Amino acid sequence: MSGLGATPVGITAALGPTNTGKTHRAIERMLEHRSGMIGLPLRLLAREVYDKITARIGEDRVALVTGEEKRIPPRPDYWVCTVESMPVSREVDFVAVDEIQLAGHRQRGHVFTDRLLHARGRLETWFMGSESVRPILEELVPTADVHTHPRLSQLRGIGNLSLGALPPRTAVVAFSAEEVYAIAERLRQRRGGAAVVLGALSPRTRNAQVALYQSGEVDYMVATDAIGMGLNMDVDTVAFAGLRKFDGVEVRELEPGELAQIAGRAGRAHNDGQFCCLSPAGPLPSAVVDAIETHHFPVMRRVIWRNSDLDFRTLESLTASLRARPPRRVLEPVRAAEDFSTLVQLSAREDIQALAKGQASVELLWEVCQIPDFRKLLLDGHVELLANIYRQLASPRGRIDPAWMAERIDRIDDVEGDIHTLMTRIAFVRTWTYVSNHRRWIVDAEAWQARTRAVEDRLSDALHERLVARFVEREGARASGRATREQRRARKRTRSTTVQRRRPQLDRAAVAEGPFAKLLELDLRPSAGSDASGAVRDDAWVQALVEAPHERFALREGGWIVDLEDSEDAPELARLGRGVDLLRPEVSLLVGEALGAGARARVQRRLVAWTRDAVTRLLGALRSGAADALSSDARGLVYQLEQGLGTIHRSAAEAQLRRLDGRDRKRLESLGVRVGERLIWAPKLLRAPALRQRAALCSAALPKGVSVPAPPGGAVSFAPNPEVDAGAYTALGYPVLGDRAIRADMIERLLGELARLDGGAGVGLDGREGAKLAGLVGVRREQLEAVVEALGWTRDDDDEARWRAPSPRSRRARRSSQGRRR
């Protein structure tokens, strides 16, 4: 990315209230570029955007980078990140930063300000945020093209409501965990239950709770202001349980802009939303209500800044550079930053001073200081942990001791305990997840990442169970009639499974020596699920499916996606259906409704992303970066070839072909593209594995019950189904001629043989030559005439035994094409 000294190219500021589609527009714009990066304010929001993008273009092209999660394929084109985790040194065509008004945030603002000043795409840059940041943008980025976007729906205040008067699809917002729990408990007693969303929950638990709400199992959500930063949920009403919050420094009144950011979660797209205060809080002053409804707020005059050009020569020089004064009055120095406070405390220790000698050691210390305190301990406790980590990293070994790290992770790998205990353990393991993502710090980083992720997943699942057990009254939900019969049966089984999980564990060491040793040979665990007919699968199965590598799935004839984990049965998980085109089929799950709406959505997203990746891998070089070097006409030809799954009629691209120069033709040939007299095709896509995938994709576009089978045994031709459009067979690589579907390369060979035999007197299809031609394309001799006729050849008026080429002009074009190929 470019810095302040570079010429800014195409800087756009998209400003407006919530529900204006700013983030959606930025994502669409990013995907129009060959590469891009978007920074988002929350880890959960980054994952949501990652899921949306991968469901469109697959996971092979998209990286997800947050402090605790890194999913980086070998050659990603797009990067979805939290703002703090953006790899700003990486050059991409498009860069976007969301919620840029957070540059005024006391703790995080300096990061957003740094992105505003320095993050630039090669071709285009977008900043999205509130209209209140406009004066800051105009001063710091005067070349930005500022656009104001109106809200897509109306937002109105409805005064104060009691808990009993809250309408369904309401999110109650409180500003402490204790208040969230208290309100959720009251909703359980009066309304059957509520989902709970706090910033301290792990993403996995938050996703599960949001899915509980989104699927309609509960009609209410109780949350902290963590929901205010762009998370998309079906909320009609936002109710404020209080109007004061602790911001990490002091308890203060919420500002009108903050209230609007949260209230704006009500309503989606063109559905209007409403906001209120939950009695006895409020009421909101009429001026604040009017400001929220009309989206008019005081503008920002200053943003938080910290020097990013750090001096790592000594501890003193690093501290001095972090305390540097801002170069402009509009920039306010950060007053309290956790990493800087940690640095100050560590730098005061004599043992740390002795180790932090030289630029590399000082830079390492600063990296360690940036490990977040997810546990929210007193600063001294966090500093002590970081001191331990730094001493190990600064030692001659240069790595964290695996035994030391394992001991601390083992202590928190325990799913017993109440909600508070589990949340504390999740916060602890998040620290180790962050550490494990620093590959230089530990041996076998992938194994540690998998271990910490597994611990967090187990704790998250247990926490979700506790939250549901405490805040969701299943009997009340059943009485209300909101759940389907199948969902109710699933809940009973889930409760049964939960009871089994909470039973005391066997002392295996004692049992192994006693009379009940045979018990250890029995698998008494609850079933992880059954086949894809609709039986309940537990969260572990769903998570394993979502996290599975590409090779776990396969696309079978007829458009079925199967699970290869069970090598014997390979159960069918989903079926492809007609999409917007052959490359983007719809994916219909075959797993039953009892799986639960949230889990089904996760599985479907994974299978949609897998399908997009499967198509990209199928097309291979046609979708590689090498195609970018082609001219626009050649790229247009490749695009048509992609849409045709590797085979198109030459007539469809004749205009582009006429404008191609020799360089383009050579590049096309290097991509594996062959231009024939009648067809343009990719030979690699005529191999058996590719043909099976092409057949499945073609079948998906056909009416239900109709399919295109892959050619049997590598046959060069076969009888097509007359009820299937001929275009499907062309996309398969077997265009229909007469009453046969013939492989593309064999059609071109037949044309070449006909041209060779045609000495001006036509070609005879009887005798030895006719038998040879018929064998070439795998047809009987009596079928050969229909094939030749479909190629445009006609019987000689004077000698019906001989066939004439379409025209001399066509023959010249054919010879010219053949000469170019040679």
Side-chain angles (χ1 to χ4, degrees), residues 520-720:
L520 297 183
E521 299 175 14
L522 302 177
D523 185 0
L524 302 178
R525 294 170 299 172
S527 171
S530 57
D531 61 27
S533 63
V536 177
R537 298 179 185 269
D538 68 11
D539 287 344
W541 181 86
V542 171
Q543 188 63 21
L545 203 70
V546 170
E547 302 290 345
H550 186 92
E551 292 71 24
R552 175 166 175 172
F553 311 105
L555 190 56
R556 293 282 171 82
E557 190 172 309
W560 306 99
I561 300 177
V562 299
D563 182 4
L564 299 181
E565 183 77 3
D566 185 343
S567 58
E568 294 183 1
D569 297 334
E572 295 162 348
L573 299 173
R575 189 176 191 272
L576 303 186
R578 184 191 294 272
V580 293
D581 54 37
L582 286 175
L583 307 183
R584 290 174 290 174
E586 294 290 336
V587 176
S588 300
L589 290 187
L590 301 177
V591 286
E593 291 295 329
L595 189 60
R600 282 174 58 82
R602 294 170 64 207
V603 173
Q604 177 151 26
R605 186 216 65 82
R606 177 68 180 92
L607 295 181
V608 169
W610 178 86
T611 303
R612 303 296 184 258
D613 284 339
V615 170
T616 297
R617 296 185 184 197
L618 169 68
L619 296 175
L622 296 179
R623 284 200 165 181
S624 69
D628 296 336
L630 296 168
S631 68
S632 59
D633 287 309
R635 289 200 303 273
L637 187 153
V638 169
Y639 173 78
Q640 291 186 65
L641 200 58
E642 287 183 29
Q643 295 296 308
L645 295 182
T647 306
I648 59 173
H649 290 282
R650 176 175 174 141
S651 57
E654 201 64 62
Q656 289 101 323
L657 284 171
R658 284 196 297 268
R659 293 191 290 267
L660 296 186
D661 57 21
R663 181 184 304 172
D664 271 333
R665 292 181 182 275
K666 288 181 179 179
R667 286 175 175 166
L668 285 172
E669 189 167 347
S670 70
L671 292 177
V673 176
R674 298 294 178 264
V675 180
E677 179 178 334
R678 184 59 61 96
L679 300 165
I680 303 174
W681 79 102
K684 287 186 178 180
L685 294 179
L686 295 177
R687 297 172 181 173
L691 287 174
R692 287 194 291 270
Q693 293 187 64
R694 293 172 77 175
L697 291 169
C698 290
S699 297
L702 298 175
K704 191 174 182 179
V706 181
S707 64
V708 176
V716 297
S717 71
F718 61 94

Side-chain angles (χ1 to χ4, degrees), residues 235-387:
V235 174
D236 295 333
T237 306
V238 167
F240 292 99
L243 300 174
R244 293 167 61 83
K245 67 174 286 187
F246 178 69
D247 63 3
V249 178
E250 61 183 355
V251 176
R252 61 174 176 81
E253 297 287 337
L254 286 156
E255 298 176 1
E258 293 175 305
L259 292 167
Q261 184 74 32
I262 301 167
R265 293 300 103 205
R268 289 192 63 189
H270 296 282
N271 296 327
D272 292 343
Q274 55 191 18
F275 62 95
C276 66
C277 285
L278 181 64
S279 298
L284 286 170
S286 58
V288 174
V289 173
D290 183 65
I292 295 174
E293 290 180 338
T294 59
H295 319 298
H296 291 148
F297 304 101
V299 296
M300 296 171 61
R301 296 300 180 187
R302 305 186 82 180
V303 291
I304 306 301
W305 176 88
R306 185 169 74 184
N307 182 26
S308 59
D309 185 16
L310 301 181
D311 184 350
F312 293 107
R313 289 175 298 171
T314 65
L315 285 175
E316 292 75 15
S317 64
L318 173 60
T319 303
S321 60
L322 284 165
R323 284 175 168 156
R325 302 298 299 173
R328 302 187 188 184
R329 293 184 63 184
V330 72
L331 303 175
E332 178 181 333
V334 61
R335 295 181 181 178
E338 185 180 285
D339 51 5
F340 180 75
S341 299
T342 302
L343 176 67
V344 171
Q345 287 210 27
L346 287 176
S347 299
R349 298 188 176 202
E350 293 184 0
D351 59 335
I352 301 299
Q353 293 174 8
L355 292 171
K357 301 294 186 182
Q359 181 162 330
S361 297
V362 173
E363 193 165 354
L364 174 62
L365 178 60
W366 180 236
E367 283 187 71
V368 171
C369 289
Q370 292 176 82
I371 298 175
D373 183 12
F374 297 110
R375 303 169 297 170
K376 300 304 176 186
L377 300 172
L378 295 174
L379 185 60
D380 288 346
H382 185 59
V383 168
E384 189 59 45
L385 172 67
L386 300 196

Side-chain angles (χ1 to χ4, degrees), residues 52 65 213 234 621 678:
K52 287 181 179 178
V65 182
Y213 173 83
D234 297 320
R678 184 59 61 96

Side-chain angles (χ1 to χ4, degrees), residues 2 9 34-35 91-95 120-125:
S2 305
V9 178
R34 292 182 299 177
S35 63
E91 294 281 344
V92 291
D93 289 344
F94 178 90
V95 168
R120 299 291 184 270
R122 279 189 296 246
L123 302 179
E124 192 169 6
T125 303

